[in-house]
């Protein structure tokens, strides 16, 4: 009786507290999780307790004897999961994912070095297991309780409530955290390691199920479709013009076409890019086709000429699929392929995806010297990034394909004063105001990079491709945008036209021109491969060579089903004249006026667009390329 008073907390609460404290210590001091503000600190502190409580509170549903056994094994298994992650993290600075565990070479690599990654003091991590074990054995009679239904429901309500609270905080800190899945570190930081594992299992099972039910049957129809719409090498006006040259691809973070040849406060926004148009092929009606996966979606488009997915980031959800991506194709044509990007390698699951699609090297944040001084916003400043990259570029075997992903011009468009060459715009949108100086900063960084390429001798033998990855200013800022563009309002038509991003192909020694044909990121892969003199007959791609003498398709499809043709722009059931922006008709009547609704000039094309997007989705959901032999050799 006496003892019972001494331990007046139920054992599952004691176990939760101990386990929560331990997990927090591991998060805070053993994993290298970056915390950017107080809110993140708070969430990181709360989530270990939320998930521990959820887990241990299950014990109340057991009969008295089972309760103790459950708590013992729960704390042991929970600790083992935490510990395996720690050991994995010490080697890979990343968290375990189900596919990595079962399919990746990572786990095998780890096997050999696992012992070296375990340290004697790690035994302390098992302290709470020993305590729970001891208490549950020694004081079984004091701790086992015949819980009333009310207490059970209370424990459940409390644990779910706690979890929900944690989730809401996380959602406030990172909107759409679960739908978008951008980074494992963000997930662990916000919902905790254990909930992250549950989420990862759910995501994995869903895509596995779709994969399992797919067989090769759909493939011939899709192959047929892409072959019919393919532009052939014979029709390509510039086939082989850059044969065996290096490719330097620069992904310009959040740069939209509306800043090109435009001014703010009387100053040019992108003087370097404007000049570059003179001696490049510049596509002025080139659209991004990304969705929630943002930069990674744009990468996916240019690497595969497949569309990204309507929800989530395909880099995350289908990072293990079979692809026939540009790095693989180039590798088999004697190229060495690389990515330069000064961010966490696990962001957008890049490490896994890059490995899968054949990149030879990924120069991630660890390849750079990053400190307070040379960083702003999301990390290393673009000028520093290019400067520090040159030495790596020079060391590569040629020919190489090297993709550089800039970062400074990322929302919320922060820039220190000494880096700003132009004044911000003046409107009610801080975002749009600040956008111009950061775009200018990136423009200057690219200019300096061109200089460095010339000085280091990398320029002459390379072609340089520049592309905006996606929009930077969302429709949330329409009011300020309409003011800047001197329009009464931003209509659905304007919104689509704002999805244009700059696309340059600069071939030293070759005169370029401005090309007005409609084009999209989906067209990059076939275009580049043809410039390099690589045939694409065997490939399955939805894009076409932008230098083909005849176009095989009438539309550029955006990922939400909007599209652009020579004559029309279609978005949200509305069909516009592309030239004038005049509304030609509405397909489904949103105002409830049946008569006004009906077919428009866009209707027949809409069906084609939907079919194309659904073919591409089928390839990804069913992992259909595993049934296809690309014959790359
Ligand atoms: C992150 C960078 C930005 O590494 O590519 O990603 P975004 O938010 O633009 O997709
Ligand atoms: Mn981006």
């Amino acid at each position: 009786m006496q003892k019972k008073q001494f331990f007046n907390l139920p054992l599952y609460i004691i176990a939760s507290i101990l386990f929560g404290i331990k997990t927090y210590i591991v998060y805070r001091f053993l994993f290298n999780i970056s915390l950017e503000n107080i809110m993140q600190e708070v969430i990181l502190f709360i989530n270990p307790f939320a998930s521990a409580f959820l887990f241990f509170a299950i014990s109340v549903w057991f009969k008295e004897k089972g309760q103790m056994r459950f708590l013992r094994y729960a704390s042991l298994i929970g600790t083992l999961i935490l510990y395996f992650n720690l050991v994995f993290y010490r080697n890979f600075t990343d968290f375990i994912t189900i596919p990595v565990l079962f399919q990746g070479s990572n786990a095998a690599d780890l096997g050999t070095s696992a012992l070296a990654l375990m340290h004697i003091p790690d035994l302390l991590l098992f302290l709470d297991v020993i305590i729970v074990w001891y208490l549950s054995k020694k004081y079984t009679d004091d701790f086992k309780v015949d819980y009333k239904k009310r207490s059970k429901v209370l424990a459940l309500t409390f644990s779910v409530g706690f979890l929900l609270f944690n989730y809401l905080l996380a959602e406030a800190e990172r909107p759409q955290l679960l739908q978008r899945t951008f980074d494992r570190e963000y997930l662990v930081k916000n919902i905790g390691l254990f909930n992250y594992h549950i989420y990862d299992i759910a995501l994995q099972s869903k895509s596995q199920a779709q994969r399992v039910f797919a067989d090769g049957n759909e493939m011939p129809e899709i192959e047929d479709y892409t072959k019919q719409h393919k532009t052939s090498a014979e029709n390509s006006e510039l086939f082989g013009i850059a044969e065996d040259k290096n490719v330097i691809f620069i992904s310009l973070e959040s740069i939209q076409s509306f800043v090109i040849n435009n001014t703010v406060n009387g100053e040019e926004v992108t003087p370097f890019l404007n000049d570059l148009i003179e001696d490049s092929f510049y596509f002025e009606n080139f659209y991004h086709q990304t969705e929630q996966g943002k930069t990674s979606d744009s990468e996916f488009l240019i690497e595969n000429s497949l569309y990204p997915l309507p929800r989530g980031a395909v880099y995350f959800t289908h990072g293990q699929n079979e692809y026939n991506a540009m790095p693989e194709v180039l590798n088999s044509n004697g190229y060495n392929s690389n990515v330069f990007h000064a961010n966490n390698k696990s962001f957008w699951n890049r490490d896994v995806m890059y490995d899968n699609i054949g990149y030879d090297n990924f120069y991630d944040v660890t390849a750079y010297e990053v400190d307070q001084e040379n960083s702003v916003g999301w990390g290393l400043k673009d000028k520093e990034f290019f400067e520090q990259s040159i030495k790596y570029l020079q060391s590569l075997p040629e020919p190489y394909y090297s993709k550089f992903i800039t970062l400074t011009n990322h929302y919320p468009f922060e820039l220190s004063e000494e880096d700003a060459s132009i004044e911000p715009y003046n409107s009610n949108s801080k975002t749009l105001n600040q956008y111009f100086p950061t775009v200018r900063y990136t423009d200057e960084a690219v200019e300096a990079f061109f200089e460095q390429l010339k000085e280091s001798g990398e320029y002459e033998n390379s072609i340089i491709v520049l592309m905006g990855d996606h929009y930077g200013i969302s429709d949330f800022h329409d009011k300020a945008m309409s003011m800047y563009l001197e329009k009464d309002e931003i209509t659905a038509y304007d919104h689509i036209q704002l999805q244009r991003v700059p696309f340059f192909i600069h071939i030293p020694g070759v005169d370029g021109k401005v090309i007005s044909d409609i084009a999209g990121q989906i067209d990059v892969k076939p275009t580049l491969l043809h410039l390099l003199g690589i045939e694409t007959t065997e490939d399955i791609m939805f894009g076409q060579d932008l230098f083909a003498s005849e176009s095989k398709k009438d539309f550029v499809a955006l990922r939400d089903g909007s599209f652009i043709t020579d004559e029309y722009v279609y978005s949200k059931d509305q069909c516009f004249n592309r030239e004038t922006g005049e509304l030609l008709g509405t397909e489904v009547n949103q105002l409830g006026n049946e008569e006004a609704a009906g077919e428009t000039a866009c209707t027949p094309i809409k069906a084609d667009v939907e079919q194309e997007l659904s073919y591409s989705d089928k390839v990804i959901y069913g992992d259909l390329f595993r049934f296809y032999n690309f014959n790359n050799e």
Side-chain angles (χ1 to χ4, degrees):
M1 258 327 195
Q2 257 177 342
K3 281 174 203 150
K4 192 158 193 165
Q5 275 161 4
F6 180 69
F7 293 110
N8 56 7
L9 277 175
L11 188 57
Y12 78 90
I13 293 190
I14 298 178
S16 307
I17 294 173
L18 290 176
F19 196 82
I21 295 174
K22 171 175 76 182
T23 314
Y24 178 71
I25 292 173
V26 173
Y27 284 177
R28 198 70 182 78
F29 304 107
L30 302 180
F31 290 140
N32 184 16
I33 294 181
S34 57
L35 294 170
E36 286 139 32
N37 54 43
I38 290 285
M39 180 75 152
Q40 293 189 352
E41 299 256 9
V42 172
I43 296 173
L44 191 79
F45 180 74
I46 289 179
N47 82 49
F49 295 96
S51 37
F53 193 78
L54 186 76
F55 194 29
F56 288 108
I58 295 172
S59 69
V60 303
W61 299 88
F62 283 80
K63 292 231 161 54
E64 290 184 27
K65 234 163 95 201
Q67 284 167 14
M68 297 299 118
R69 199 176 327 123
F70 177 84
L71 289 174
R72 283 198 289 274
Y73 284 99
S75 71
L76 178 66
I77 293 168
T79 303
L80 286 175
I81 295 177
L82 186 66
Y83 189 57
F84 286 148
N85 271 283
L86 180 63
V87 173
F88 186 86
Y89 192 91
R90 281 179 180 151
N91 205 28
F92 300 109
T93 12
D94 201 350
F95 301 97
I96 297 174
T97 65
I98 299 298
V100 159
L101 204 56
F102 292 111
Q103 307 157 21
S105 52
N106 280 0
D109 288 353
L110 188 62
T112 50
S113 54
L115 272 182
L117 299 166
M118 297 183 185
H119 312 317
I120 301 279
D122 293 349
L123 287 173
L124 287 175
L125 294 176
F126 289 81
L127 202 60
D128 66 315
V129 183
I130 296 168
I131 296 175
V132 169
W133 211 277
Y134 174 77
L135 292 178
S136 69
K137 288 260 187 209
K138 179 98 182 178
Y139 302 104
T140 312
D141 292 341
D142 301 325
F143 279 120
K144 63 176 199 213
V145 185
D146 182 12
Y147 287 104
K148 297 265 152 6
K149 187 133 185 237
R150 241 188 92 224
S151 325
K152 292 182 186 173
V153 173
L154 198 71
L156 181 72
T157 317
F158 189 72
S159 54
V160 173
F162 203 178
L163 187 74
L164 208 66
F165 175 63
N166 174 189
Y167 176 71
L168 289 177
L169 285 184
E171 197 46 38
E173 163 63 22
R174 277 281 150 185
Q176 292 198 307
L177 179 75
L178 298 189
Q179 289 93 314
R180 292 187 56 200
T181 20
F182 20 92
D183 188 4
R184 280 182 282 284
E185 189 182 302
Y186 278 87
L187 281 170
V188 171
K189 186 153 72 177
N190 282 295
I191 61 171
L193 185 68
F194 297 93
N195 295 329
Y196 152 72
H197 280 309
I198 293 171
Y199 174 75
D200 180 49
I201 291 169
L203 200 69
Q204 209 45 41
S205 334
K206 190 172 151 211
S207 59
Q208 276 307 320
Q210 279 165 326
R211 192 177 180 275
V212 165
F213 289 113
D215 50 34
N217 283 343
E218 300 100 326
M219 217 39 223
E221 188 185 331
I222 297 174
E223 190 185 344
D224 237 40
Y225 174 86
T226 58
K227 296 235 149 113
Q228 265 175 39
H229 294 85
K230 182 168 288 176
T231 41
S232 66
E234 296 91 72
N235 281 333
S236 174
E237 286 164 11
L238 299 181
F239 187 84
I241 192 172
E243 199 169 336
D244 289 335
K245 294 225 184 218
N246 301 319
V247 180
I248 297 173
F249 189 102
I250 306 175
S251 170
L252 300 165
E253 178 58 47
S254 300
I255 297 200
Q256 294 177 229
S257 298
F258 78 88
V259 295
I260 304 290
N261 279 328
N262 215 338
T263 57
V264 68
N265 311 316
E267 303 252 21
E268 253 184 305
V269 187
T270 56
F272 177 72
L273 293 179
N274 298 348
D275 285 351
L276 191 66
I277 293 178
E278 300 286 304
D279 49 7
S280 305
F281 294 98
Y282 175 68
F283 295 80
E284 60 180 3
N285 287 308
F286 180 93
Y287 294 80
H288 85 80
Q289 294 162 302
T290 66
E291 253 303 325
Q292 293 180 318
K294 306 293 290 292
T295 311
S296 67
D297 278 357
S298 81
E299 295 181 62
F300 185 80
L301 275 148
I302 62 160
E303 281 149 351
N304 298 294
S305 192
L306 293 172
Y307 293 93
L309 296 177
R311 350 170 5 107
V314 57
Y315 255 48
F316 247 103
T317 55
H318 297 79
Q320 303 279 330
N321 272 17
E322 193 71 44
Y323 294 107
N324 186 44
M326 197 140 65
E328 295 167 86
V329 177
L330 289 176
N331 289 356
S332 60
N333 281 277
Y335 275 76
N336 172 278
S337 53
N338 315 275
V339 182
F340 297 78
H341 181 48
N343 196 3
N344 281 349
K345 63 178 180 175
S346 68
F347 203 98
W348 289 133
N349 201 29
R350 284 187 173 108
D351 49 349
V352 174
M353 185 66 168
Y354 286 172
D355 200 39
N356 181 25
I357 60 177
Y359 278 109
D360 295 309
N361 303 297
F362 177 16
Y363 297 91
D364 67 2
V365 68
T366 58
Y368 295 87
E369 287 188 25
V370 185
D371 53 39
Q372 284 280 336
E373 288 280 277
N374 67 14
S375 316
V376 70
W378 276 54
L380 188 64
K381 296 177 185 176
D382 290 346
K383 287 184 185 173
E384 290 279 341
F385 162 63
F386 284 126
E387 220 170 278
Q388 292 190 34
S389 301
I390 278 281
K391 58 178 181 293
Y392 297 123
L393 193 66
Q394 280 183 297
S395 72
L396 296 174
E398 299 195 24
Y400 55 71
Y401 164 67
S402 293
K403 174 165 74 177
F404 291 83
I405 305 172
T406 66
L407 200 53
T408 307
N409 188 49
H410 192 287
Y411 177 84
F413 310 112
E414 287 169 14
L415 201 63
S416 45
E417 219 158 283
E418 75 266 18
D419 289 323
S421 316
I422 54 173
E423 292 294 312
Y425 183 56
N426 185 9
S427 74
N428 70 348
S429 159
K430 192 171 161 216
T431 302
L432 181 65
N433 298 350
Q434 298 190 158
Y435 181 67
F436 297 98
T438 50
V439 170
R440 163 61 85 87
Y441 174 83
T442 298
D443 181 75
E444 289 169 4
V446 174
E447 178 175 20
F449 186 46
F450 267 68
E451 283 310 312
Q452 289 147 9
L453 289 173
K454 287 178 182 164
E455 279 162 23
S456 62
E458 299 301 311
Y459 175 81
E460 281 303 315
N461 206 24
S462 304
I463 68 168
I464 303 165
V465 182
L466 300 99
M467 184 190 84
D469 60 352
H470 49 74
Y471 69 83
I473 306 297
S474 70
D475 44 14
F476 189 72
H477 307 277
D478 274 359
K479 196 151 176 257
M481 188 61 112
S482 65
M483 184 173 142
Y484 176 73
L485 297 175
E486 296 175 353
K487 286 174 180 281
D488 294 340
E489 56 166 345
I490 299 293
T491 63
Y493 165 82
D494 297 320
H495 176 74
I496 298 298
Q497 293 300 65
L498 280 168
Q499 306 314 308
R500 282 178 292 185
V501 292
F503 182 56
F504 292 82
I505 298 177
H506 177 79
I507 310 178
V510 174
D511 286 340
K513 61 177 174 196
V514 174
I515 297 173
S516 306
D517 299 344
I518 53 168
Q521 290 172 328
I522 196 96
D523 302 317
V524 172
K525 180 184 172 194
T527 306
L528 285 186
L529 289 177
H530 281 177
L531 289 175
L532 300 177
I534 297 169
E535 297 262 0
T536 55
T537 338
E538 297 296 317
D539 212 341
I540 293 190
M541 301 186 288
F542 289 91
Q544 28 186 13
D545 180 349
L546 296 174
F547 297 109
S549 49
E550 44 160 1
S551 168
K552 296 275 188 173
K553 225 169 27 182
D554 327 318
F555 58 80
V556 173
L558 304 193
R559 191 51 261 206
D560 66 354
S562 304
F563 58 83
I564 302 94
T565 72
D566 283 344
E567 289 173 71
Y568 310 115
V569 164
Y570 172 88
S571 175
K572 302 206 170 85
D573 306 318
Q574 295 179 309
C575 188
F576 300 91
N577 178 314
R578 184 164 84 98
E579 216 43 54
T580 63
E582 181 200 345
L583 180 64
L584 300 174
T586 302
E587 288 203 344
V588 178
N589 179 16
Q590 290 137 334
L591 303 170
N593 177 358
E594 287 297 321
E595 278 148 42
E599 296 228 335
T600 69
C602 294
T603 312
I605 308 153
K606 187 179 164 203
D608 296 344
V609 168
E610 276 165 10
Q611 172 159 76
E612 175 156 314
L613 290 169
S614 100
Y615 278 149
S616 174
D617 290 347
K618 270 190 188 154
V619 168
I620 297 165
Y621 289 136
D623 191 5
L624 297 186
F625 282 178
R626 70 200 147 115
F627 302 114
Y628 193 79
N629 184 5
F630 284 101
N631 280 332
N632 258 327
E633 293 323 306

